[in-house]
Amino acid sequence: MGASCIIRHFEFYSPLTDQDKKLLDSLEKAPRCVVKNESVWQEGASTDHFYTVRKGWMYAYRNMEDGTRQVLDIFVPGDIVGLREFAFRKRISGLTALTDAEICPFPKKRMLDVFSQSLLLCHIFFMIASRDQSILLERLVNLGRRSAKAKLAHFLVEISRRLEKTNVDIGNHYRIPLSQGLLADALGLSAVHVNRTFQELKEEGLVNPRHGGIELLDLEGLKAVAGFDPSYLEEDVHGLLAEARARHIAT
Amino acid sequence: MGASCIIRHFEFYSPLTDQDKKLLDSLEKAPRCVVKNESVWQEGASTDHFYTVRKGWMYAYRNMEDGTRQVLDIFVPGDIVGLREFAFRKRISGLTALTDAEICPFPKKRMLDVFSQSLLLCHIFFMIASRDQSILLERLVNLGRRSAKAKLAHFLVEISRRLEKTNVDIGNHYRIPLSQGLLADALGLSAVHVNRTFQELKEEGLVNPRHGGIELLDLEGLKAVAGFDPSYLEEDVHGLLAEARARHIAT
DNA sequence: TCGGCGGCATGACATAAGTTAAGAAACAAA
DNA sequence: TTTGTTTCTTAACTTATGTCATGCCGCCGA
């Protein structure tokens, strides 16, 4: 295949013109491979690039003074990482690979070219930023006002949803490579309590925790215990981009 | 004065050309007044507009099934609200006025005009989105990995920082019109515990809780108990926008 | 001026989640 | 294989925070 990473992702939102594709393709640099647990950047590093995830999983985190840490987000193939720090000179969170992975760098400075040359791409970038915020907002709700059990279930359902939506083929969707310790740091819990909670979910036949990963057995059941409402993941892709596309092509 | 709401805000980021100002001004509708506790929109409402806050305070929230709620963000004069839902047809959170307020609507559809006509404005919008995400990220850390006391202190310091940064004159910065119940919903705590925690902060001379509001007495002290690191609020305004401005004017 | 109500204050008690510790699996490397 | 490392599991115990209940204060509207 060899198709550009970011083009594939963007085509999920809207068909692109050849010109758009050429533009994106010219800006994307050669893919970079990272191995499991390799750090891509650390807090304080320069923000000169962002990346699209082509293969594998990544996570963003923040280390706290007291030695504890907060995992801020998990990224799956097709996601864009680092766009968040667009406005900043330095990274405010670290990024490391959860599994062996392949990522495609994209120089931040070239965003100017994109914005000035393609109204459609500009719009798509904006949609992605909006979607990212929506996910963060839901994570806030999760941390603030749900029980440990609901937190876990909700998080797992979200991840599985995001996997389904990606344009990238990742094989079996339901084997999630997150350790209980990482989940704990993502959900603001202790690893021990995550384990306890998993035992409950396991008894109810909802999940099957394995070494270094989780198998989701009953998505509907998980949604029920999470009180999962998917609307925060359902962008208005077509309505919003139709006009942008029309005007863009007319130019 | 009567200067446009959004222009004033944008000029915080960069000087604008007359053309940019004209563009923004033509898109902004007449300001709308809302009284304390008035709802601007509810979950599920249409996302056809976003707003700039000219006067007063607002908050975004999400009501949970079990009757509890999560306050997602507080907005102060100069902030833009509703941009988050750019990619969505329906609002995923409610917005209501915390005090009497004045907000300026801006039709979402006209974003196309902005993006196509001004590279600089497009960039500024992107910066704002990035900054918003940064704030959400920090709030995640706050909810996930800090004690009640640190949560409170951190939140208060953030608000005071954001107040200082705004271009809008709001009189005394340090009288914050948040009730303890609202703070509780913002921080994922119970109102009772927020009260207990306030007693501690009060004993230490850091704050002075009054009816329906809080006075910050010792910002440095609050920063210390919060472990506050301001970098997540410090955008690279000038570096990033300089080139956009240069190219924009050259056109 | 008064009454009512939303917000504050505080105590007693309940509980979800954290901590510590120790052993068992699973994996990775030699 | 053997060894070492990470992750999971479980138990006993501690603690931060939630819940319930009650009274008070200070606004705002009649």
Side-chain angles (χ1 to χ4, degrees), chain A residues 8-161:
Chain A
R8 202 159 27 160
H9 185 198
F10 273 44
E11 283 189 318
F12 169 77
Y13 288 96
S14 162
L16 303 178
T17 67
D18 284 349
Q19 204 188 356
D20 289 331
K21 288 187 198 174
K22 213 175 283 179
L23 177 59
L24 284 177
D25 202 50
S26 76
L27 300 184
E28 186 173 300
K29 299 203 207 161
R32 171 177 159 193
C33 289
V34 287
V35 303
K36 187 173 170 173
N37 293 326
E38 185 176 338
S39 164
V40 177
W41 69 67
Q42 298 193 311
E43 302 165 55
S46 154
T47 58
D48 43 6
H49 290 79
F50 62 89
Y51 300 82
T52 37
V53 180
R54 170 182 282 200
K55 275 185 196 160
W57 296 57
M58 325 277 298
Y59 68 96
Y61 63 90
R62 174 82 174 279
N63 283 330
M64 310 290 293
E65 292 181 356
D66 60 359
T68 187
R69 73 173 180 175
Q70 175 69 36
V71 166
L72 299 166
D73 211 348
I74 303 285
F75 300 101
V76 301
D79 281 344
I80 295 189
V81 307
L83 206 49
R84 257 183 209 146
E85 281 121 332
F86 178 80
F88 295 82
R89 195 151 358 151
K90 295 191 166 181
R91 316 226 84 121
I92 49 185
S93 59
L95 182 76
T96 108
L98 202 54
T99 66
D100 290 351
E102 218 177 308
I103 57 182
C104 307
F106 196 107
K108 182 170 96 172
K109 281 191 183 167
R110 310 296 295 273
M111 289 287 276
L112 272 173
D113 298 317
V114 174
F115 291 165
S116 63
Q117 289 174 44
S118 172
L119 186 57
L120 179 62
L121 294 181
C122 176
H123 243 72
I124 294 179
F125 269 114
F126 226 85
M127 285 198 79
I128 291 172
S130 172
R131 173 195 158 92
D132 282 354
Q133 287 208 25
S134 177
I135 290 174
L136 289 181
L137 237 41
E138 189 65 32
R139 184 116 49 254
L140 268 188
V141 173
N142 212 24
L143 290 197
R145 284 284 182 238
R146 278 199 261 258
S147 69
K149 197 170 168 187
K151 280 181 187 175
L152 244 179
H154 195 281
F155 190 79
L156 293 175
V157 174
E158 178 186 306
I159 296 284
S160 96
R161 276 287 177 128

Side-chain angles (χ1 to χ4, degrees), chain B:
Chain B
M1 39 111 226
S4 149
C5 217
I6 199 168
I7 289 177
R8 202 161 25 163
H9 185 198
F10 272 44
E11 284 190 317
F12 170 77
Y13 287 95
S14 162
L16 303 178
T17 67
D18 285 348
Q19 205 188 354
D20 289 330
K21 289 187 197 173
K22 214 175 281 179
L23 177 60
L24 284 177
D25 202 50
S26 76
L27 300 184
E28 186 173 300
K29 297 206 208 162
R32 171 177 159 193
C33 289
V34 288
V35 303
K36 188 172 170 173
N37 292 326
E38 185 176 337
S39 164
V40 177
W41 69 67
Q42 299 193 309
E43 301 166 56
S46 154
T47 59
D48 43 7
H49 291 78
F50 62 89
Y51 301 82
T52 36
V53 180
R54 171 182 283 202
K55 275 185 197 160
W57 295 57
M58 324 278 299
Y59 68 96
Y61 63 91
R62 174 83 174 278
N63 283 330
M64 310 291 292
E65 292 181 356
D66 61 0
T68 188
R69 74 174 180 175
Q70 175 68 38
V71 166
L72 299 166
D73 210 348
I74 303 284
F75 300 102
V76 301
D79 281 345
I80 294 188
V81 307
L83 206 50
R84 256 182 210 147
E85 281 119 333
F86 178 80
F88 295 82
R89 195 150 359 147
K90 296 190 165 182
R91 316 226 83 120
I92 49 186
S93 59
L95 182 76
T96 107
L98 202 53
T99 66
D100 290 351
E102 217 177 307
I103 57 181
C104 306
F106 196 107
K108 183 170 96 172
K109 282 192 183 166
R110 311 295 295 274
M111 291 287 276
L112 271 173
D113 298 316
V114 174
F115 291 164
S116 64
Q117 289 174 43
S118 172
L119 186 57
L120 178 62
L121 294 182
C122 176
H123 242 74
I124 294 180
F125 269 114
F126 224 85
M127 286 198 79
I128 291 173
S130 171
R131 174 196 158 94
D132 282 354
Q133 287 208 25
S134 176
I135 291 174
L136 289 181
L137 237 43
E138 189 65 32
R139 185 117 48 255
L140 268 188
V141 173
N142 212 24
L143 290 197
R145 285 283 182 241
R146 279 199 259 256
S147 71
K149 196 168 166 185
K151 281 180 188 176
L152 243 180
H154 195 281
F155 190 79
L156 293 175
V157 175
E158 177 186 306
I159 296 285
S160 95
R161 278 286 178 131
R162 285 169 60 185
L163 281 174
E164 280 169 15
K165 267 197 145 184
T166 189
N167 256 358
V168 181
D169 180 26
I170 43 123
N172 177 9
H173 287 178
Y174 297 123
R175 213 277 176 160
I176 296 184
L178 301 176
S179 76
Q180 298 184 8
L182 199 104
L183 249 349
D185 285 339
L187 299 173
L189 300 168
S190 70
V192 174
H193 199 65
V194 166
N195 185 275
R196 278 196 283 253
T197 310
F198 261 123
Q199 300 314 315
E200 286 186 57
L201 294 175
K202 187 179 175 182
E203 302 254 313
E204 296 166 33
L206 302 177
V207 302
N208 181 23
R210 326 184 112 274
H211 194 81
I214 311 117
E215 222 173 338
L216 305 191
L217 301 178
D218 178 0
L219 255 182
E220 292 307 316
L222 285 172
K223 281 182 201 171
V225 333
F228 189 84
D229 173 351
S231 50
Y232 75 103
L233 291 173
E234 290 166 357
E235 314 105 305
D236 175 26
V237 175
H238 305 296
L240 190 58
L241 290 175
E243 201 188 335
R245 197 158 54 238
R247 280 171 68 158
H248 178 50
I249 292 171
T251 318

